[in-house]
Amino acid sequence: MKRKSMKSLIAVALVCAVLGLAACETAPDSSAVLDQARSAVAQAESDPNVTRYAPTELDRARKLLINAEGAAKEKSAKDPTAAHYAYLTTQVARIAQQRAQEQAATARMKDGETERQKILLTTRENETDRALAQAQSARADAQSARGDALQSQAESERMAAQLENLQASQTPRGIVLTLDDVLFDTGNAQLKPGARRSLDQIAAFLDENPERRVQVEGFTDSQGANDYNLDLSQSRADAVAVAIIQRGINAERVRALGYGEEFPVAGNADAGSRQLNRRVEIIVSNSDAAIPGRSAGAP
Amino acid sequence: MFTINGIRNGFFCAIAFGIVACASTPMPVEKLAVAKSSITRAEQAQAAQFAQVELNSARNKYVAAQAAADKSDALVAARLADQADVDAQLAESTARAKQQEQLVTEMEASLRDLRSETLRRNGTASPQPAPQQ
């Protein structure tokens, strides 16, 4: 019997020990778990992402912590209620942090996508700008080339138009325009009204080319006295020079010379040739250089 | 009045009340269902890959909660179900956060590439793409 009672005592002690261990396992020290819960909540609270993105979960954790603290006060240290709520608190605080982290990452994704779009747009704009600039400069080049061409074309056309009725010819001395004798009555130095148009054109031409000088040279045929012809040619040259000056051309640019019967352009044998010799030539300088004088044999 | 029949009837009544009382302490069926659906959501969020510890904890507690419910231990079952639920929620949110972080890392890398590419393209006159090798 004694042995039996000893055995049963040991058995009871073992059972008690096992039960005690089991109690330790199922109800761990609630104060340690509470500390963990408190620090988990504090950590979540200090995370700015949590207050911004997961305030609901943080609230839930705080309420659970209050429950845990209350249970710890009201119940015995071995009651698992406080530890249970403390555990829930810790987990919910962690959930709050993870949700906040996810939301923050999502926000960064959105920002990143916006920035990506911006970069792509800027790149596209830059490329478009560059293409546009190239196109524009190409167009500008073309326009300016066309403009230059048009301008020079217009100028030569205008000059041609200006001088078309004036029998202009290019010589080493300059452009030589010939006014024939129909602009003067026989033996007279008075310009006929028909000369006006030609003189207007010459004056306009000189006006547009201010660097050019003009020399007016008068000629007669071989009929009549030499001195008379010389005077007549000078008078006619003067008349033309005066007409040009009257049209606004500076007198310094205009010079008048009478050559009489000299430098005929045709023989004086027949009326037609003589008519060609009766003329006034206007030499327009090629530049601002003085017009060289005539020498025998030169045109 | 206190006949044997009466005593017997009273006894039956007490048993009947006892049964009713047992039935009125309900098993946390709803909590178990909530925990189960949280675990499913965590699994769908690839928690098995990204939050294995938390998911396993949730699964183990769910099984323990069911066992407690089978043993009619409603309180333990409810608490284990609650714990399984928060474990599963933590597993899900951890998995989602990790995956989103991965996406951000990838996105930031591609942004860096894009920025340097843009810089290079604007910095040099050549509009040709960079040689890849």
Side-chain angles (χ1 to χ4, degrees), chain A residues 60 80-81 84 87-88 91 94-95 98 101-102 105-106 108-109 112 115-116 119 126-127 130, chain B residues 61 79 82-83 86-87 89-90 93-94 96-97 100-101 103-104 107 111 114-115 118 121-122:
Chain A
R60 218 174 115 210
T81 306
H84 170 67
Y87 183 81
L88 292 185
Q91 295 301 79
R94 285 178 184 159
I95 290 166
Q98 294 298 331
Q101 197 185 338
E102 190 204 338
T106 305
R108 265 152 71 207
M109 284 296 287
E115 196 185 338
R116 201 176 70 84
I119 292 172
N126 284 344
E127 272 161 18
R130 211 175 295 141
Chain B
K61 280 176 184 161
R79 284 182 177 168
D82 279 346
Q83 292 192 9
V86 291
D87 286 352
Q89 284 183 37
L90 181 57
S93 57
T94 303
R96 287 192 191 283
Q100 197 68 16
E101 282 293 329
L103 288 178
V104 168
M107 184 268 298
L111 258 187
L114 189 61
R115 265 192 228 107
T118 307
R121 224 189 275 188
N122 287 345

Side-chain angles (χ1 to χ4, degrees), chain B residues 52-71:
Chain B
Q52 209 177 1
V53 175
E54 291 82 357
L55 183 63
N56 281 341
S57 173
R59 282 171 175 162
N60 292 340
K61 280 176 184 161
Y62 178 73
V63 170
Q66 273 185 323
D70 288 346
K71 280 187 268 173

Side-chain angles (χ1 to χ4, degrees), chain A residues 178-197:
Chain A
T178 304
L179 305 176
D180 54 33
D181 74 329
V182 297
L183 301 177
F184 294 95
D185 285 324
T186 307
N188 196 327
Q190 191 75 40
L191 271 168
K192 282 164 64 168
R196 275 180 203 152
R197 206 171 144 236

Side-chain angles (χ1 to χ4, degrees), chain A residues 149-223:
Chain A
L150 278 175
Q151 209 176 347
S152 60
Q153 198 187 342
E155 194 166 3
S156 41
E157 270 173 6
R158 196 163 57 239
M159 279 175 73
Q162 278 170 356
L163 306 175
E164 73 183 330
N165 299 321
L166 303 177
Q167 297 169 342
S169 63
Q170 184 71 48
T171 74
R173 299 169 72 209
I175 301 164
V176 176
L177 314 163
T178 304
L179 305 176
D180 54 33
D181 74 329
V182 297
L183 301 177
F184 294 95
D185 285 324
T186 307
N188 196 327
Q190 191 75 40
L191 271 168
K192 282 164 64 168
R196 275 180 203 152
R197 206 171 144 236
S198 298
L199 289 167
D200 284 343
Q201 287 175 344
I202 291 166
F205 180 74
L206 290 171
D207 196 37
E208 281 188 31
N209 298 275
E211 79 284 3
R212 293 183 191 241
R213 296 159 173 273
V214 66
Q215 185 161 302
V216 184
E217 296 175 349
F219 303 92
T220 64
D221 60 16
S222 59
Q223 304 259 311

